Amino acid sequence: MRGHESSVFSISVHASGRYAITTSSDTAQLWDLDTFQRKRKLNILQSVGIQKVFFLPLSNTILSCFKDNSIFAWECDTLVCKYQLPAPPESSSILYKVFAVTRDGRILAAGGKSNHLHLWCLEAKQLFRIIQMPTKVRAIRHLEFLPDSFDAGSNQVLGVLSQDGIMRFVNIQTCKLLFEIGSLDEGISSSAISPHGRYIASILENGSLNIYSVQTLTKEINKPPPPLVKVIEDLPKRKVNSGDLKMKVTSGRVQRPAKSRENKIQASILKQDLTGNFENKENEFSDGLNKKRLQILLKGYGEYPTKYRMFIWRSLLQLPENHTAFSNLIDKGIHVAFLNLQKKYPIKSRKLLRVLQRTLSALAHWSAIFSDTPYLPLLAFPFVKLFQNNQLICFEVVATLLINWCQHWFEYFPNPPINILSMIENVLAFHDKELLQHFINHDITSQLYAWPLLETVFSEVLTREEWLKLFDNVFSNHPSFLLMTVVAYNICSRAPLLNCNLKDDFEFFFHHRNNLDISAVIREVYRLMDTTPADIHPDSMLDVFVALTKGQYPVFNQYPKFIVDYQTQERERIRNDQLDSLRERQVVEDMQAEVDQQRVEDEGWYQTQELLRKAEETRREMLLQEEEKMIQQRQKLAAVKRELKVKEVHLQDAARRRLLQPQQDQREMELRRLDDEIERKVHMRDREIAATAKDLEMRHVELEPQKRLYEKNLSRNQEAIAKEMREDADAYKRKVDLEEHMFHRPIGTDQTQNQKTQKLIEENLAKAEQACLNTDWRIQALHKQRCDDLHRNECYQEVAKLLRKNRKKEMEVLNAVMEGEAKKWEEAEEKDFHLKSEKKAAALSDASRRWFLENETHDALENAQHPYHKVPRCQDEWVASSCLPRTSQLKDISEMESLTQISLNQRKTHWDTMEWDLMERVRNLRQRLATQARNRCQTPHLLAT
């Protein structure tokens, strides 16, 4: 059984003994103990180790506890997670190290390195209690519940082994410390409790092994309610030593008295008590209980405490608990008499049925009479239901009941015990003659009003609590108490019984529950026990209580053995006869089967022969039919050949037509394709015409702003030309004024000079104002151009798709416009050249006229100054006089030409700038449209911005 990589520290075996779980720190494995093969393996993360994995008692649930305090429950068969326990509260969060579960699997106790103990309810899946251990406890090393035979698996006492080596036993309901074992000097390293909870074995740290008696440790706990009286069994055996110190529980803690003189005082008191109050041994039990005091307690309270009832019953009945003898009876298996018990007594609980079967089988193996006792299941069933978790106690309780309270029941077997019923009838006749006379008048015998109560031990007519209360008194008294209970039950029910007149009513009454106070019945029983005369009292005819013997059970032969043996012999004879009859029947059936088989074979042979004959006739008929069919087929074949020849001719014709048909279809298809192509071309032409019309409309819309821009530029040019003409006119006026000034200069030279100065200043001021206006006008023009550019850019973006399709036409239009513009510029340059020529001619005429005027003026002045000198004195003077004005005239002419040239250069520069800007914009627009077209071709699924 390999598979673990680290050491195995835990092994848990299923209640059935078929499966086992081995646990190590890194994994847990489920094994099949029948084949020793691994079924499943629990793998976990390395960061989360396994603390413990184990089976819950008497269950198919696997509980896995991990080092992160997570606890999961799994189904054993399917390994499906059933539930997970929630995280404990943060106020009491501890890392679980040790775990313990009650025998019924309902409560889980968990502890660790803390003095807190967590109790989980596995049914409600929640933490229902936190127990705080004494402050001496710093860590819990081991947990184990103390079993009890009478708590139905719901263990109440939990053993807690702490780090100081002391194991403390705590009641989980009252949270009180009951007792403790071990000490600081002799600490316990490990401990184990026996399955029945009687002994505790502990290995001490010094290596010694101590075995403790739980009965002695819990002597103070299991005592009945007060008054508490300590009973000493045997004086020689009772010695006071250090190991028999009395433990007292005070405020939930165990106090150990010191070894001082108090021990001596206690010993002397015990000795005095023993000498003065030594009681009868028949009223004393080995566990320290006293029967007389129990009877006093029972009469005071009416019943025993529920918590101690099972313990008291075991003490009253003095059960030997013969494990070996009981195991031998159980090992014999289910008795043949009770194999079909479920057919006669269908019990819903399979577990209860199995326990009842085993108990009855053990009784039948113990004594042969019980295998033939028909009422034994009715008598044992209430005890089986009460002790179903402890079959040994159940068997011994029923056996004790049969030996003591069922005395003389089997003397008239298989009939009811007439002697016992006669005792009951005598007592009833003495105490209630009227009721007995009523029974006699209606032919009701003791077999009807007494025997049903006895054979079911009152389980049919009482509830569970009433039945337990009754048997508290039955087991505490003489065996005759049960017979007196029958009489008391009838007497307490006399009113309804006297009203019954039919036998069915009486039968119903004694087989069903009735509205009867069981306490009144018990009081009546005690009255009958005290007032019944001795000659008819059942205790004079019944023996006193006798307990089962220790080691081996006593022989039970209080029955007519010859009847039982005769019934056994008769049963065996009947069984043998049945076997013989079965064997003979089997032989007859075998012979009958052979005859039937032979008959079937003969019938089969005849049927086969008949079938063969019919088959032969059928085959002959089939041959004739086949011949006829062959003749018909030959005729059909000849007709088919003729048809085939005709079809061949038709097929050749059809083939020829089929060969011509594809050609015709091909031509038709070509015509249809041409028609489709024509239609597509027409459609494309219409679409192109429509698109061209839309493009022309868009171009018209686009050319409108350009037209307005050109008109605006033309108006600006005209304004500039008009301005230049005005400037020329102003220059002409200035020239006329200059000529007039030069003509009138002889008259007022000073005034003329002042007027020139003023006029020059005014002209400079006008030029400055004109320059400001021109600048403002240019700024406004640039602003308007920028707005127009932005608007046109938006329009270009909107019509980018249309411009891409019509860029060729646009370029043609643009080229035409540029050619017209170039022609206009050439015409303008020619006109400008003609204008320059005219200006030069005008300037020459002006210069000659000015020279003439100057000469005339000069001559006039000379004549005025020298009236007699009309002819120049020499040729040089004439030349000099004629050269001065010509030089000034040429200077003025050159100045005017330079001004005119500057003005023309400015206008040409302005128009060149505008042309360059327009060409740059067109070039940028073309580049942008080309880039967008390339982007659309590369990413067709994106839209251009």
Side-chain angles (χ1 to χ4, degrees), residues 217-248:
L217 293 172
T218 59
K219 189 178 296 182
E220 295 295 330
I221 303 172
N222 291 332
K223 277 189 174 182
L228 297 176
V229 179
K230 188 172 183 62
V231 179
I232 306 302
E233 288 185 356
D234 193 2
L235 180 60
K237 295 182 181 179
R238 186 65 180 175
K239 295 181 180 180
V240 179
N241 51 39
S242 60
D244 297 331
L245 294 176
K246 183 178 180 180
M247 308 298 176
K248 295 183 180 180

Short mmCIF file of all heavy atoms in Angstrom, two decimals, residues 217-248:
data_model
loop_
_atom_site.label_atom_id
_atom_site.label_comp_id
_atom_site.label_asym_id
_atom_site.label_seq_id
_atom_site.Cartn_x
_atom_site.Cartn_y
_atom_site.Cartn_z
N LEU A 217 -13.71 6.88 38.90
CA LEU A 217 -13.51 8.32 38.75
C LEU A 217 -14.81 9.09 38.73
O LEU A 217 -14.90 10.23 39.16
CB LEU A 217 -12.73 8.60 37.46
CG LEU A 217 -11.28 8.11 37.43
CD1 LEU A 217 -10.70 8.27 36.04
CD2 LEU A 217 -10.43 8.87 38.44
N THR A 218 -15.89 8.45 38.20
CA THR A 218 -17.19 9.13 38.09
C THR A 218 -18.15 8.69 39.18
O THR A 218 -19.36 8.79 39.02
CB THR A 218 -17.82 8.82 36.72
OG1 THR A 218 -17.96 7.41 36.59
CG2 THR A 218 -16.94 9.35 35.60
N LYS A 219 -17.62 8.18 40.28
CA LYS A 219 -18.49 7.69 41.35
C LYS A 219 -19.35 8.80 41.91
O LYS A 219 -20.53 8.64 42.17
CB LYS A 219 -17.63 7.06 42.45
CG LYS A 219 -18.43 6.33 43.49
CD LYS A 219 -17.51 5.70 44.52
CE LYS A 219 -16.65 4.63 43.89
NZ LYS A 219 -15.78 3.96 44.89
N GLU A 220 -18.78 9.97 42.08
CA GLU A 220 -19.53 11.09 42.63
C GLU A 220 -20.55 11.61 41.62
O GLU A 220 -21.58 12.17 41.98
CB GLU A 220 -18.56 12.21 43.02
CG GLU A 220 -17.61 11.84 44.14
CD GLU A 220 -18.33 11.59 45.45
OE1 GLU A 220 -19.39 12.21 45.64
OE2 GLU A 220 -17.86 10.76 46.25
N ILE A 221 -20.27 11.42 40.29
CA ILE A 221 -21.18 11.96 39.27
C ILE A 221 -22.41 11.09 39.13
O ILE A 221 -23.54 11.59 39.02
CB ILE A 221 -20.43 12.06 37.93
CG1 ILE A 221 -19.19 12.94 38.11
CG2 ILE A 221 -21.31 12.61 36.84
CD1 ILE A 221 -18.29 12.95 36.91
N ASN A 222 -22.22 9.79 39.11
CA ASN A 222 -23.31 8.87 38.82
C ASN A 222 -24.16 8.53 40.03
O ASN A 222 -25.05 7.68 39.95
CB ASN A 222 -22.76 7.57 38.24
CG ASN A 222 -22.19 7.79 36.86
OD1 ASN A 222 -22.64 8.69 36.16
ND2 ASN A 222 -21.21 7.00 36.48
N LYS A 223 -23.91 9.18 41.16
CA LYS A 223 -24.76 8.92 42.32
C LYS A 223 -26.15 9.50 42.08
O LYS A 223 -26.30 10.51 41.40
CB LYS A 223 -24.14 9.54 43.57
CG LYS A 223 -23.08 8.65 44.21
CD LYS A 223 -22.68 9.20 45.55
CE LYS A 223 -21.74 8.23 46.26
NZ LYS A 223 -21.37 8.73 47.59
N PRO A 224 -27.19 8.89 42.66
CA PRO A 224 -28.53 9.45 42.54
C PRO A 224 -28.61 10.81 43.21
O PRO A 224 -27.67 11.23 43.91
CB PRO A 224 -29.41 8.40 43.24
CG PRO A 224 -28.59 7.17 43.26
CD PRO A 224 -27.18 7.60 43.36
N PRO A 225 -29.71 11.53 43.01
CA PRO A 225 -29.86 12.83 43.65
C PRO A 225 -29.81 12.71 45.17
O PRO A 225 -29.93 11.62 45.73
CB PRO A 225 -31.24 13.30 43.16
CG PRO A 225 -31.44 12.55 41.90
CD PRO A 225 -30.77 11.24 42.08
N PRO A 226 -29.65 13.82 45.87
CA PRO A 226 -29.49 13.76 47.34
C PRO A 226 -30.71 13.14 47.99
O PRO A 226 -31.80 13.18 47.44
CB PRO A 226 -29.31 15.23 47.73
CG PRO A 226 -29.83 16.01 46.57
CD PRO A 226 -29.64 15.16 45.38
N PRO A 227 -30.60 12.55 49.17
CA PRO A 227 -29.37 12.55 49.97
C PRO A 227 -28.35 11.57 49.45
O PRO A 227 -28.70 10.50 49.01
CB PRO A 227 -29.86 12.15 51.35
CG PRO A 227 -31.06 11.31 51.08
CD PRO A 227 -31.73 11.90 49.89
N LEU A 228 -27.08 12.00 49.47
CA LEU A 228 -25.99 11.15 49.01
C LEU A 228 -25.40 10.39 50.19
O LEU A 228 -25.01 10.99 51.20
CB LEU A 228 -24.91 11.99 48.34
CG LEU A 228 -25.34 12.74 47.08
CD1 LEU A 228 -24.20 13.61 46.58
CD2 LEU A 228 -25.76 11.76 46.02
N VAL A 229 -25.33 9.07 50.09
CA VAL A 229 -24.79 8.22 51.15
C VAL A 229 -23.75 7.32 50.53
O VAL A 229 -24.03 6.65 49.54
CB VAL A 229 -25.90 7.38 51.83
CG1 VAL A 229 -25.31 6.49 52.91
CG2 VAL A 229 -26.98 8.28 52.40
N LYS A 230 -22.54 7.36 51.04
CA LYS A 230 -21.48 6.51 50.51
C LYS A 230 -21.61 5.13 51.12
O LYS A 230 -21.68 4.97 52.34
CB LYS A 230 -20.13 7.13 50.83
CG LYS A 230 -18.98 6.40 50.14
CD LYS A 230 -17.70 7.18 50.32
CE LYS A 230 -16.56 6.51 49.58
NZ LYS A 230 -16.80 6.45 48.15
N VAL A 231 -21.66 4.10 50.27
CA VAL A 231 -21.83 2.72 50.72
C VAL A 231 -20.50 2.00 50.54
O VAL A 231 -19.90 2.05 49.47
CB VAL A 231 -22.95 2.02 49.91
CG1 VAL A 231 -23.10 0.59 50.38
CG2 VAL A 231 -24.24 2.79 50.09
N ILE A 232 -20.06 1.33 51.55
CA ILE A 232 -18.82 0.56 51.51
C ILE A 232 -19.18 -0.90 51.42
O ILE A 232 -20.02 -1.40 52.16
CB ILE A 232 -17.98 0.83 52.77
CG1 ILE A 232 -17.76 2.33 52.93
CG2 ILE A 232 -16.63 0.12 52.67
CD1 ILE A 232 -17.08 2.96 51.76
N GLU A 233 -18.58 -1.60 50.47
CA GLU A 233 -18.95 -2.99 50.21
C GLU A 233 -18.32 -3.94 51.22
O GLU A 233 -19.00 -4.74 51.86
CB GLU A 233 -18.51 -3.39 48.82
CG GLU A 233 -19.31 -2.76 47.72
CD GLU A 233 -18.91 -3.30 46.37
OE1 GLU A 233 -17.97 -4.09 46.31
OE2 GLU A 233 -19.56 -2.92 45.38
N ASP A 234 -17.07 -3.87 51.34
CA ASP A 234 -16.37 -4.90 52.12
C ASP A 234 -15.29 -4.24 52.94
O ASP A 234 -14.46 -3.50 52.42
CB ASP A 234 -15.75 -5.94 51.17
CG ASP A 234 -15.31 -7.17 51.94
OD1 ASP A 234 -15.55 -7.20 53.14
OD2 ASP A 234 -14.74 -8.07 51.29
N LEU A 235 -15.33 -4.49 54.24
CA LEU A 235 -14.39 -3.83 55.14
C LEU A 235 -12.95 -4.23 54.89
O LEU A 235 -12.08 -3.38 54.79
CB LEU A 235 -14.77 -4.12 56.60
CG LEU A 235 -13.86 -3.49 57.68
CD1 LEU A 235 -13.86 -1.98 57.53
CD2 LEU A 235 -14.32 -3.88 59.06
N PRO A 236 -12.66 -5.51 54.73
CA PRO A 236 -11.24 -5.86 54.52
C PRO A 236 -10.69 -5.30 53.22
O PRO A 236 -9.51 -4.98 53.13
CB PRO A 236 -11.25 -7.39 54.51
CG PRO A 236 -12.47 -7.75 55.25
CD PRO A 236 -13.48 -6.71 54.94
N LYS A 237 -11.55 -5.21 52.22
CA LYS A 237 -11.06 -4.71 50.93
C LYS A 237 -10.94 -3.20 50.90
O LYS A 237 -10.29 -2.66 50.04
CB LYS A 237 -11.99 -5.16 49.79
CG LYS A 237 -12.03 -6.67 49.60
CD LYS A 237 -12.93 -7.01 48.45
CE LYS A 237 -12.99 -8.52 48.24
NZ LYS A 237 -13.91 -8.88 47.13
N ARG A 238 -11.62 -2.54 51.81
CA ARG A 238 -11.65 -1.08 51.77
C ARG A 238 -10.52 -0.52 52.60
O ARG A 238 -10.53 -0.58 53.83
CB ARG A 238 -12.99 -0.58 52.31
CG ARG A 238 -13.18 0.91 52.19
CD ARG A 238 -13.22 1.32 50.74
NE ARG A 238 -13.41 2.74 50.58
CZ ARG A 238 -13.39 3.36 49.41
NH1 ARG A 238 -13.21 2.65 48.33
NH2 ARG A 238 -13.56 4.65 49.35
N LYS A 239 -9.52 -0.02 51.95
CA LYS A 239 -8.38 0.59 52.61
C LYS A 239 -8.19 1.99 52.07
O LYS A 239 -8.24 2.21 50.87
CB LYS A 239 -7.11 -0.22 52.37
CG LYS A 239 -7.17 -1.61 53.01
CD LYS A 239 -5.90 -2.35 52.76
CE LYS A 239 -5.96 -3.74 53.39
NZ LYS A 239 -4.71 -4.49 53.16
N VAL A 240 -7.96 2.89 53.00
CA VAL A 240 -7.76 4.29 52.61
C VAL A 240 -6.30 4.50 52.32
O VAL A 240 -5.44 4.28 53.19
CB VAL A 240 -8.24 5.23 53.73
CG1 VAL A 240 -8.01 6.68 53.33
CG2 VAL A 240 -9.69 4.96 54.06
N ASN A 241 -5.99 4.84 51.09
CA ASN A 241 -4.61 5.14 50.71
C ASN A 241 -4.58 6.37 49.82
O ASN A 241 -5.61 7.00 49.57
CB ASN A 241 -3.97 3.93 50.01
CG ASN A 241 -4.83 3.41 48.88
OD1 ASN A 241 -5.43 4.21 48.16
ND2 ASN A 241 -4.92 2.09 48.74
N SER A 242 -3.41 6.68 49.36
CA SER A 242 -3.24 7.91 48.57
C SER A 242 -3.96 7.84 47.24
O SER A 242 -4.30 8.86 46.66
CB SER A 242 -1.75 8.18 48.34
OG SER A 242 -1.18 7.10 47.63
N GLY A 243 -4.23 6.64 46.75
CA GLY A 243 -4.89 6.53 45.47
C GLY A 243 -6.39 6.62 45.56
O GLY A 243 -7.07 6.67 44.53
N ASP A 244 -6.97 6.60 46.80
CA ASP A 244 -8.42 6.65 46.96
C ASP A 244 -8.88 7.97 47.54
O ASP A 244 -9.87 8.01 48.28
CB ASP A 244 -8.87 5.50 47.87
CG ASP A 244 -8.57 4.15 47.26
OD1 ASP A 244 -8.55 4.09 46.02
OD2 ASP A 244 -8.34 3.20 48.02
N LEU A 245 -8.15 9.03 47.28
CA LEU A 245 -8.55 10.34 47.80
C LEU A 245 -9.84 10.79 47.15
O LEU A 245 -10.06 10.59 45.96
CB LEU A 245 -7.45 11.37 47.52
CG LEU A 245 -6.13 11.13 48.28
CD1 LEU A 245 -5.11 12.16 47.86
CD2 LEU A 245 -6.36 11.19 49.77
N LYS A 246 -10.69 11.43 47.89
CA LYS A 246 -11.99 11.90 47.41
C LYS A 246 -11.81 13.20 46.64
O LYS A 246 -11.14 14.11 47.11
CB LYS A 246 -12.93 12.11 48.60
CG LYS A 246 -14.33 12.52 48.21
CD LYS A 246 -15.20 12.68 49.43
CE LYS A 246 -16.60 13.10 49.04
NZ LYS A 246 -17.47 13.26 50.21
N MET A 247 -12.41 13.28 45.44
CA MET A 247 -12.32 14.47 44.58
C MET A 247 -13.60 15.29 44.73
O MET A 247 -14.69 14.73 44.72
CB MET A 247 -12.13 14.07 43.11
CG MET A 247 -10.98 13.09 42.88
SD MET A 247 -9.40 13.78 43.33
CE MET A 247 -8.35 12.36 43.07
N LYS A 248 -13.45 16.59 44.83
CA LYS A 248 -14.59 17.48 44.95
C LYS A 248 -14.58 18.47 43.80
O LYS A 248 -13.53 19.00 43.44
CB LYS A 248 -14.55 18.25 46.28
CG LYS A 248 -14.70 17.34 47.49
CD LYS A 248 -14.72 18.15 48.76
CE LYS A 248 -14.88 17.25 49.98
NZ LYS A 248 -14.89 18.01 51.23
#
